[in-house]
Amino acid sequence: MTVTYEWNCKTVDVHPAEGSETDVVYNVHWIVTGVSDELDSDGNAYQSNSIGIQTVSLNSESQFIPFNELTNEIVVGWTKEAIGEEQVEAIESGIKEFINQEINPTSVTMTIAG
């Protein structure tokens, strides 16, 4: 099974002013969606999400990017760097495991008639 991951880091908290900069991102609300290449009986891909909030800090060593020039790709990079490679892998592995449990359940809930 192959799972494709999409990171959405488009929702952020900003400080209206920090030093000489405006609209400085300090918190990223992230959503990671994993979509399997396997389909259910209705033809839909199995998928799962993980959500969280990550604090990021203004780095004085890098060039400030104005808010209106930010992209999801840029903020995903900041977020993954702040989270760390090991935790990013854990998030994605958890999503894959959840999808695998949907495809190959080890437990199901049933209702007794009567």
Side-chain angles (χ1 to χ4, degrees):
M1 167 181 67
T2 301
V3 176
T4 304
Y5 302 97
E6 179 183 336
W7 283 72
N8 176 335
C9 296
K10 296 178 183 176
T11 303
V12 297
D13 297 323
V14 301
H15 291 296
E18 186 172 322
S20 63
E21 308 298 350
T22 60
D23 299 328
V24 178
V25 175
Y26 69 91
N27 263 344
V28 178
H29 301 257
W30 54 265
I31 304 170
V32 182
T33 302
V35 180
S36 170
D37 60 350
E38 294 193 32
L39 305 178
D40 65 16
S41 59
D42 294 327
N44 299 310
Y46 289 94
Q47 64 179 348
S48 181
N49 298 319
S50 183
I51 62 172
I53 299 172
Q54 179 61 48
T55 300
V56 295
S57 55
L58 184 59
N59 185 344
S60 61
E61 296 175 10
S62 62
Q63 184 176 2
F64 180 77
I65 302 172
F67 186 82
N68 65 349
E69 294 178 20
L70 291 176
T71 63
N72 186 60
E73 183 177 292
I74 290 169
V75 181
V76 166
W78 293 350
T79 304
K80 285 183 172 183
E81 182 178 336
I83 290 174
E85 185 177 332
E86 189 174 304
Q87 188 60 30
V88 167
E89 289 175 7
I91 291 165
E92 292 179 352
S93 292
I95 291 170
K96 186 173 186 173
E97 181 58 31
F98 187 86
I99 292 171
N100 190 47
Q101 285 293 318
E102 284 186 294
I103 295 170
N104 303 300
T106 56
S107 175
V108 294
T109 301
M110 299 178 75
T111 302
I112 298 171

